[in-house]
Amino acid sequence: MSSPSIKLTDLAKSYRKQKAVHNLNLEVNKGELFGFLGPNGAGKTTTIKMLTGLLEPTSGTAEVNGIDIWKQPIQAKKNIAYVPDQPNLYPKLTGWDYLEFIASVFHVPEEKFQAKATELLSTFNLTDQADDLIESYSHGMKQKIAICGALVHEPEVLFLDEPTVGLDPKSARSLKNLLRELCDNGMTAFVSTHILEIAEQMCDRVGIILDGDIIALGTMNELKSTDQSLEDIFLELTGGEDQEALINEISKADQGDAK
C-alpha cells in the first residue's frame, strides 16, 4: 500500500497558554479531494500553514509525500502548491508575468509552461486580462490568478484555504470541476472551507475541526448515519456556532448555482 500524500502526527500549535490546534492525527491519500471543514477560528488556517511550512508546529510532525515539511522544507515544497484565503501577489506584474515567474521557480520548461498557462487562463476567463497589471485586478480576479499560479507547475499536492471566497459562481464551478478532474488524475487536494455545499458535492472525505480538534472524519456516507444533510451534521457537531454566517454562505452558494 502506498504511503499517504499528507500525514499529520500529533500535530499541535500553541500561542503562549492558548492551544490553537490539538495533536491532530490524519492521513490523506494520493488522489483524494479532502475537505477540511469548520467554523471561523476552528484551526483550519493554522493547520494548513503548518502543513505548508509557513507556521512551525509546537509539537508533532507534518509530512507531504513522506517528506517532513520542517526537516526538508525545500524538497517538500517542490511537491506542493498553496493558495491562501487572501493571496499576496505582485501588483506590478501582469497576470502572464506572474505565472511565468512561478513557473521559473519550479523550473517548468518553456513549452510546457506556455501550454499550461494558456489552458488555465482560459479555464478561469482571464485570457483577455493576462497582459494587465495585477494591481488593476478585482479581488476575484486576483484569487483566480493565484489559483492559476498554484497549478501551473502541476503540483502533486494542492492546499487551498477558502478557495471560492470572492469567486463568481461560474468561476467557483470551474474550480470545483477542475479540482475533481485533477484529483481523479492523481493530484491530492486539501481544501479548507466553511461553505458546506463545496464539501458535500465534491469531496471524497470530510474532516470537521472545532476548537483545534478533529471531531468528525469520514466519507459523506459514513457521516450520514441518518438522512441528515452535511449542514445538519455540521451544525449539530459544532453546537450551532456561526449558524447565521453559515446559512448566509449556503444561501449565496445555492443562489449562485441557480443562476
Side-chain angles (χ1 to χ4, degrees):
M1 186 175 177
S2 60
S3 60
S5 288
I6 302 169
K7 184 176 181 179
L8 289 65
T9 306
D10 292 326
L11 191 68
K13 181 64 181 178
S14 297
Y15 298 97
R16 297 184 179 179
K17 294 182 179 180
Q18 179 68 33
K19 203 158 189 179
V21 171
H22 299 256
N23 299 84
L24 300 186
N25 290 281
L26 174 68
E27 293 185 358
V28 179
N29 297 317
K30 179 177 173 61
E32 188 171 10
L33 206 171
F34 183 81
F36 200 47
L37 206 61
N40 294 329
K44 302 189 302 293
T45 297
T46 298
T47 301
I48 284 185
K49 285 186 175 180
M50 289 191 285
L51 285 168
T52 52
L54 295 174
L55 189 62
E56 187 171 6
T58 303
S59 59
T61 59
E63 296 178 8
V64 178
N65 286 351
I67 304 166
D68 189 305
I69 189 73
W70 286 96
K71 291 181 179 177
Q72 297 174 281
I74 301 299
Q75 188 177 352
K77 289 176 184 179
K78 289 179 181 179
N79 296 295
I80 71 174
Y82 169 50
V83 181
D85 56 345
Q86 296 288 336
N88 291 314
L89 305 173
Y90 299 96
K92 297 300 181 182
L93 292 182
T94 66
W96 185 267
D97 289 341
Y98 173 73
L99 297 183
E100 199 165 32
F101 166 68
I102 297 297
S104 71
V105 171
F106 289 92
H107 305 290
V108 179
E110 179 63 23
E111 186 176 340
K112 186 176 180 181
F113 160 70
Q114 292 278 344
K116 191 65 182 177
T118 300
E119 173 193 329
L120 289 167
L121 289 168
S122 176
T123 297
F124 290 101
N125 294 314
L126 285 175
T127 303
D128 292 341
Q129 292 80 33
D131 293 326
D132 296 342
L133 293 178
I134 289 175
E135 67 180 3
S136 71
Y137 284 10
S138 66
H139 174 71
M141 291 168 65
K142 289 176 182 176
Q143 186 78 1
K144 289 192 285 185
I145 200 69
I147 293 168
C148 292
L151 294 172
V152 76
H153 69 284
E154 299 182 336
E156 293 182 47
V157 181
L158 175 66
F159 294 94
L160 296 166
D161 193 359
E162 302 287 359
T164 60
V165 172
L167 295 185
D168 59 89
K170 183 179 179 181
S171 297
R173 185 177 293 275
S174 295
L175 175 61
K176 288 184 281 186
N177 292 340
L178 180 59
L179 287 178
R180 185 68 269 169
E181 179 185 344
L182 291 171
C183 289
D184 288 344
N185 289 324
M187 187 189 79
T188 305
F190 190 100
V191 182
S192 159
T193 183
H194 67 281
I195 300 178
L196 308 180
E197 177 260 351
I198 294 173
E200 189 160 24
Q201 289 190 3
M202 72 177 192
C203 292
D204 298 309
R205 277 195 307 153
V206 171
I208 299 178
I209 186 170
L210 178 68
D211 295 332
D213 280 312
I214 293 178
I215 60 172
L217 178 66
T219 65
M220 285 309 307
N221 286 336
E222 289 169 344
L223 292 179
K224 287 181 177 179
S225 57
T226 65
D227 291 331
Q228 289 178 299
S229 68
L230 183 57
E231 177 187 352
D232 296 329
I233 296 165
F234 182 82
L235 294 176
E236 181 180 318
L237 289 171
T238 60
E241 288 193 25
D242 286 350
Q243 288 188 49
E244 185 175 349
L246 284 163
I247 290 166
N248 287 339
E249 289 293 344
I250 294 162
S251 297
K252 288 178 186 175
D254 289 342
Q255 290 167 8
D257 286 340
K259 290 181 181 180

